[in-house]
Amino acid sequence: MPLDPPTMLTLSTALAAAAALYMAIEWRSIREPSLLFWSAGFATITVGSTLALLRSNGLLLIGIWFANGLLVTAHFLFLLGVARFTQTRLSRTWSLIFVAWLVMLLLPEGPLWSKVMLAANSLLVALSTLKASFLLRPHGKSLSVGAVQLRYVLLAHGIFYVAKALTVVIPGTLIDLAAFRGEIIQISLVEGTMAIMLIALSMTGTERYRREKQIARLAERDPLTALYNRRALEKRAPRLLTQASPECPGALLLIDIDNFKLVNDQYGHTAGDRLLIALSEMIRSLLPRHALTARLGGDEFVILLNDASGERVVELGNALREQFLGMTSQTFPTPAAVTLSIGANLFEQPPASLTALIEQGDAALYESKRGGRNRLRLTGLPTPG
């Protein structure tokens, strides 16, 4: 089958329709706004490529003007999708793209009509495409290989349209938009087909990587407080624990809520959940840099510190206890005060394991509760390596 212009347009239509359908299905399952914009962009290309076939039947207004306008619209939708993906807010001035395209309708007919139309349309497409590539620049390597690929595919696509616009100034260049004649148009049809495939693949890879990272992140988070869970703590703790030395001791704080059951019994489990969330937010606000924190389960939390000292641990623990007591006494008054008991342990050598360190913290926590609750019990014996 010869790769004549109608065949290339038909192939582009089929590829764009497939990409639009696939991304629409993906959007229904994960509800990522960028997928919806990209799906709409490919759907617009599908309609535009179909209408472009009508120009050979003499329907120039629909087959040229309207079809090319849809091409500009499609690339603007791609830009909107990238903006949502990178969480960037676009200026409203970008809507002037459509104003510029409508102004072209006022251009007088003449020998240069096809060239002016091609140049203006190409520059408008290039503008959206290059902006989308620029938005991905600081995000590519930090997100995925797919995002990097998408950035460079869009960059190459935009540069091609800039070059396409510049070629119209070459003397003797023959361009016939109505009959699809001219080397520029032939090359553009081939490039457009390839670009659809590459852009669709890159977009798909980009969103798939983000979804996988989100799933992995959710698997490491406590669903209620969004703190790390025990599994994530065990994964990240070894690097912090191995830094312990007499010159740079580490510390573990094991935190438990006193009389937590009274809140559940008197105010309901929803109130208990709110209390756990409030405590997690307090811990985050007071957490030193490079520290780790996690919810071990129930009403028990843990904090791991590096470069710690007894004074630093006591200061952090007392700040938590005071803030928590102030909040619970006002929000959840109960017959017995809802407070925090904290068991803390300083270590000057890497512990045998995180489990062993937590057991030592648990012993200190038990001493804190036995001493009357709402206390911090600090032990400072080095743990064996």
Side-chain angles (χ1 to χ4, degrees):
M1 181 174 60
L3 295 180
D4 51 29
T7 300
M8 294 301 299
L9 273 175
T10 302
L11 182 59
S12 297
T13 301
L15 290 172
L21 179 61
Y22 176 77
M23 291 188 180
I25 293 173
E26 286 288 289
W27 174 79
R28 289 192 64 184
S29 63
I30 62 176
R31 299 292 175 173
E32 284 287 349
S34 54
L35 282 172
L36 187 61
F37 282 112
W38 292 338
S39 175
F42 282 116
T44 304
I45 290 178
T46 302
V47 176
S49 297
T50 302
L51 294 179
L53 292 169
L54 299 177
R55 68 180 70 179
S56 58
N57 296 330
L59 300 175
L60 301 185
L61 181 62
I62 296 177
I64 297 179
W65 288 109
F66 193 67
N68 286 342
L70 289 179
L71 185 64
V72 174
T73 302
H75 286 80
F76 184 71
L77 289 169
F78 290 160
L79 172 59
L80 291 178
V82 171
R84 292 301 299 267
F85 179 79
T86 57
Q87 298 180 347
T88 304
R89 187 179 182 87
L90 289 176
S91 170
R92 291 183 179 180
T93 56
W94 280 96
S95 60
L96 294 177
I97 285 179
F98 299 102
V99 176
W101 182 81
L102 290 173
V103 169
M104 289 191 298
L105 295 176
L106 304 177
L107 294 176
E109 296 185 10
L112 297 179
W113 177 82
S114 290
K115 285 191 175 184
V116 173
M117 172 63 182
L118 184 65
N121 198 79
S122 298
L123 288 176
L124 292 177
V125 170
L127 192 62
S128 293
T129 307
L130 293 175
K131 177 62 176 180
S133 177
F134 177 80
L135 292 181
L136 285 166
R137 185 179 62 174
H139 297 269
K141 292 183 179 179
S142 64
L143 289 176
S144 69
V145 174
V148 176
Q149 290 175 344
L150 180 58
R151 175 196 166 194
Y152 285 112
V153 169
L154 291 173
L155 178 62
H157 191 54
I159 291 174
F160 172 82
Y161 269 90
V162 172
K164 181 178 174 181
L166 295 176
T167 57
V168 301
V169 302
I170 300 175
T173 303
L174 175 64
I175 301 173
D176 188 340
L177 293 177
F180 293 113
R181 286 202 299 267
E183 291 183 359
I184 297 174
I185 296 178
Q186 299 285 341
I187 295 173
S188 182
L189 289 171
V190 175
E191 189 275 342
T193 303
M194 295 177 60
I196 289 173
M197 291 189 294
L198 293 174
I199 291 174
L201 289 173
S202 299
M203 288 175 173
T204 302
T206 298
E207 283 293 354
R208 183 182 298 116
Y209 178 84
R210 168 177 277 185
R211 186 165 69 250
E212 290 172 353
K213 292 292 287 184
Q214 288 176 338
I215 292 173
R217 185 166 58 251
L218 289 173
E220 293 185 335
R221 296 286 178 175
D222 172 61
L224 178 64
T225 64
L227 295 178
Y228 285 131
N229 55 26
R230 174 107 184 213
R231 175 184 175 185
L233 182 67
E234 290 176 346
K235 178 181 177 182
R236 288 167 170 75
R239 185 174 65 176
L240 187 148
L241 297 180
T242 55
Q243 297 173 0
S245 67
E247 297 77 23
C248 185
L252 176 140
L253 287 79
L254 200 61
I255 304 166
D256 187 81
I257 301 178
D258 305 318
N259 300 315
F260 179 65
K261 187 175 183 297
L262 294 178
V263 176
N264 285 330
D265 292 344
Q266 186 170 335
Y267 296 97
H269 289 280
T270 300
D273 288 345
R274 294 203 310 270
L275 182 60
L276 293 172
I277 293 171
L279 176 56
S280 70
E281 292 173 350
M282 288 181 190
I283 292 174
R284 283 195 189 92
S285 67
L286 296 172
L287 198 66
R289 188 180 179 186
H290 302 309
L292 285 175
T293 185
R295 181 188 178 197
L296 296 183
D299 58 343
E300 195 169 60
F301 297 77
V302 65
I303 296 175
L304 276 177
L305 305 175
N306 62 351
D307 193 17
S309 65
E311 293 79 6
R312 187 180 179 190
V313 170
V314 171
E315 181 182 358
L316 174 60
N318 286 340
L320 273 174
R321 289 192 307 105
E322 291 170 7
Q323 285 192 22
F324 188 77
L325 177 58
M327 185 270 294
T328 56
S329 61
Q330 294 183 10
T331 309
F332 301 108
T334 52
V338 179
T339 57
L340 294 182
S341 289
I342 303 175
N345 181 51
L346 284 171
F347 53 97
E348 297 179 350
Q349 301 177 27
S353 65
L354 176 63
T355 300
L357 188 62
I358 290 177
E359 288 176 355
Q360 293 179 0
D362 195 52
L365 177 62
Y366 176 75
E367 291 294 326
S368 174
K369 285 185 174 291
R370 192 172 66 172
R373 300 182 178 181
N374 191 25
R375 297 173 184 271
L376 185 150
R377 171 64 174 167
L378 174 63
T379 60
L381 295 177
T383 59

